[in-house]
Amino acid sequence: MSDTHTGVPSVLAFDLPRPVPVDDLDACPVGDLFRRLGDKWSMLVLILLGSRPHRYNELHRAIAGISQRMLTRTVRALEADGLVRREVLPTVPPSVEYSLTPLGQTLLEPLSALADWAVRHGAEISEARSQRAKSA
Amino acid sequence: MSDTHTGVPSVLAFDLPRPVPVDDLDACPVGDLFRRLGDKWSMLVLILLGSRPHRYNELHRAIAGISQRMLTRTVRALEADGLVRREVLPTVPPSVEYSLTPLGQTLLEPLSALADWAVRHGAEISEARSQRAKSA
DNA sequence: CCGTATCCGATTTGATACTG
DNA sequence: CAGTATCAAATCGGATACGG
């Protein structure tokens, strides 16, 4: 079943004479992953959950710009992908706790590398955008 | 101007007593970066350009599923962000060459870390999704 | 060859209101 | 507290046609 990319060591093997197998884009796990995490909130939730488990409204308050609808959708998608675990606690007012699965924790590492880059170079991007606007 | 996040060492400082500054999400370079790269093609173009400079139709053929409109939009956005450089060569039929800026090259590193994760764990995500569908 | 312009449909996101 | 439902808007993405 998973023959398609089983033997692929890395899509970023720049030394290859041929470019990346972009024809198989839809089947490519890289593009796939990015499209899942590429939405507005997934990565933020992952990062938040990486620090400690959170309850629903805890996440809601922490992100603060997200709607209930999107928070639910995001967290459910992450759960379906096996990155987040959802646990309903049998308390009197029902509580739901979200946490990272082991798989989700491993994702946190490369994610942090990218986030770190963004923090370090974010200003340069903003600057580039501003200068572009001026030169127009 | 750039006081907002100048002093921030890393958004992923899990040891902090407080969560990430998600209130400033729009100003947060992490969410911002992901929203730019989160589209269908940006990352692919970046990866392609990371291997070597490409001309317009070279990119078009390499990606093969992309429309002219989207290729232009993608490459222009990347250029505006200071990640890609666009150079018009004074050839008889006009040629345009796209390449990574130094900034774009530094981004390639954390990007490859994430891509590597995707290749390694992509199957686990697909599996998680399948199992979810069955248990429904 | 290298784009831009326009139109169109599909997907995503958000505001609001309501429920167990 | 933890969601779900519905509606409307914005954005995304592609096909096609045209211009420098």
Side-chain angles (χ1 to χ4, degrees), chain B residues 88-135:
Chain B
V88 182
L89 303 175
T91 56
V92 178
S95 308
V96 181
E97 189 176 83
Y98 294 96
S99 57
L100 247 37
T101 63
L103 182 61
Q105 297 207 6
T106 67
L107 173 57
L108 213 57
E109 301 177 30
L111 215 57
S112 88
L114 193 62
D116 196 57
W117 186 95
V119 174
R120 266 199 273 256
H121 300 278
E124 300 178 49
I125 287 192
S126 302
E127 209 170 324
R129 293 218 119 204
S130 310
Q131 297 203 348
R132 249 245 147 199
K134 280 193 276 189
S135 65

Side-chain angles (χ1 to χ4, degrees), chain A:
Chain A
M1 281 289 188
S2 25
D3 285 318
T4 326
H5 281 285
T6 307
V8 177
S10 172
V11 187
L12 294 178
F14 297 145
D15 301 312
L16 287 177
R18 305 185 316 144
V20 291
V22 268
D23 290 326
D24 302 318
L25 213 213
D26 280 344
C28 173
V30 183
D32 199 55
L33 203 240
F34 246 76
R35 237 167 300 161
R36 288 181 202 288
L37 270 42
D39 61 33
K40 230 169 172 181
W41 314 105
S42 292
M43 187 192 58
L44 272 307
V45 170
L46 247 22
I47 291 177
L48 237 23
L49 257 30
S51 69
R52 55 173 62 255
H54 284 67
R55 294 201 333 224
Y56 184 85
N57 276 343
E58 233 174 339
L59 284 173
H60 197 192
R61 260 187 317 141
I63 299 184
I66 197 175
S67 63
Q68 288 184 324
R69 174 189 160 94
M70 288 317 295
L71 178 53
T72 300
R73 278 174 75 101
T74 300
V75 98
R76 294 279 216 240
L78 258 20
E79 185 195 8
D81 287 341
L83 296 170
V84 161
R85 183 185 167 210
R86 177 177 178 270
E87 184 177 13
V88 181
L89 304 175
T91 55
V92 177
S95 308
V96 181
E97 190 176 82
Y98 294 96
S99 56
L100 246 39
T101 62
L103 181 62
Q105 297 207 5
T106 67
L107 174 58
L108 210 57
E109 301 177 31
L111 215 56
S112 89
L114 192 64
D116 197 57
W117 185 95
V119 174
R120 264 198 274 256
H121 300 279
E124 299 178 50
I125 288 191
S126 302
E127 210 170 324
R129 294 218 119 205
S130 311
Q131 296 202 348
R132 254 253 143 194
K134 278 193 279 190
S135 65

